[in-house]
Amino acid sequence: MEQVILAFENSKSCLRVKEILETAGAAGCIVCKTADQVRRTVHKLHIPAVICGYKLADQTAETLFSDLPISCAMLVLAPQNMLDLIQDDDIFRLPAPVSKGDLVASVRMLLQMGHRLERFVRPQRTQEEQELVARAKALLMDRNGMTEEQAHRFLQKTSMDKGAKLSQTAQMVLDSAE
C-alpha cells in the first residue's frame, strides 16, 4: 500500500483521517507532528504526498510546502475560511468537514498526481547516454544474435547486478568488444 504523511495539530483529526484512509485501503499513513518531521520524513522515505491541516505546531502548511520536493503533492484539510488564506495554487485543498468518500477519492488523486510529478522531474538520460546504450545494444545483437529487447534486458540486468547506471554498463560492453 502506498504511504502518505499525515500532519495535523489536532491529534483526533489525525487519527480520524488515518483510520478512514487505512480502512479504505487508500494509503498507509505515517503520522508527523511538526513541519520539520514532515520534511525529514519526505526526504528520507521519498513520500509522494502530505495531507495536513492549515497550521502545524511549528509553521503553516504553505510554508512547509515550499520546502518539499517538487514531486511531493500536498492536500490541506481545513475549514473553508482557512483554505482561502492559502495563496499557492499548487496546494490541493479540501474543505472540512469532509465525507469519507471525498477524502479517499482526493487522496487517491493526490497520489496519482505525485507519481506524475515524479516521472516529470526524474532525470532523463542525455542524448550521449542514449547513443551509448543504442551502440551497446547493436553490438550485442550483432555478436550474440539477440533481439533488441533481449539486448536491452541484458544491459538492464547487468546494470542492476553491478549497481551501475545503464550507460556505464553500455560503456563496459563496448570497451570489452575492443
Side-chain angles (χ1 to χ4, degrees):
M1 184 182 319
E2 192 101 45
Q3 289 189 310
V4 297
I5 291 177
L6 298 181
F8 290 87
E9 228 177 5
N10 181 331
S11 59
K12 282 185 180 180
S13 298
C14 193
L15 291 175
R16 179 160 158 55
V17 170
K18 180 179 180 180
E19 180 184 322
I20 291 169
L21 295 178
E22 289 182 345
T23 301
C29 300
I30 299 169
V31 175
C32 293
K33 296 196 183 287
T34 65
D36 191 47
Q37 279 183 317
V38 171
R39 256 191 302 294
R40 285 194 314 266
T41 306
V42 163
H43 289 289
K44 183 179 178 186
L45 301 177
H46 305 289
I47 303 295
V50 174
I51 301 152
C52 60
Y54 174 78
K55 185 173 155 270
L56 303 173
D58 51 349
Q59 63 187 193
T60 65
E62 193 164 17
T63 305
L64 168 62
F65 183 69
S66 66
D67 292 337
L68 295 177
I70 194 168
S71 60
C72 186
M74 178 181 274
L75 173 67
V76 176
L77 296 173
Q80 186 62 53
N81 64 330
M82 301 301 278
L83 296 178
D84 292 340
L85 299 174
I86 298 173
Q87 299 195 6
D88 192 324
D89 292 332
D90 292 329
I91 296 174
F92 295 93
R93 302 168 186 94
L94 195 57
V98 62
S99 73
K100 290 178 184 182
D102 287 346
L103 176 61
V104 168
S106 296
V107 169
R108 287 188 173 137
M109 183 265 320
L110 189 70
L111 288 169
Q112 286 178 343
M113 202 59 182
H115 289 302
R116 287 193 177 127
L117 288 170
E118 173 75 22
R119 283 196 306 267
F120 179 72
V121 298
R122 187 180 305 141
Q124 300 294 316
R125 281 195 281 278
T126 65
Q127 183 67 29
E128 184 180 309
E129 290 173 323
Q130 290 174 356
E131 290 169 6
L132 195 64
V133 170
R135 286 188 7 240
K137 285 196 284 190
L139 179 70
L140 290 168
M141 290 162 57
D142 284 346
R143 293 226 173 138
N144 301 324
M146 294 180 173
T147 66
E148 193 268 341
E149 187 177 320
Q150 289 170 329
H152 189 76
R153 279 194 196 140
F154 173 82
L155 289 172
Q156 281 182 320
K157 180 164 179 5
T158 305
S159 294
M160 288 189 294
D161 291 346
K162 295 195 179 295
K165 291 174 78 177
L166 192 66
S167 58
Q168 292 170 325
T169 303
Q171 186 63 58
M172 288 189 301
V173 167
L174 293 170
D175 290 346
S176 69
E178 292 175 356

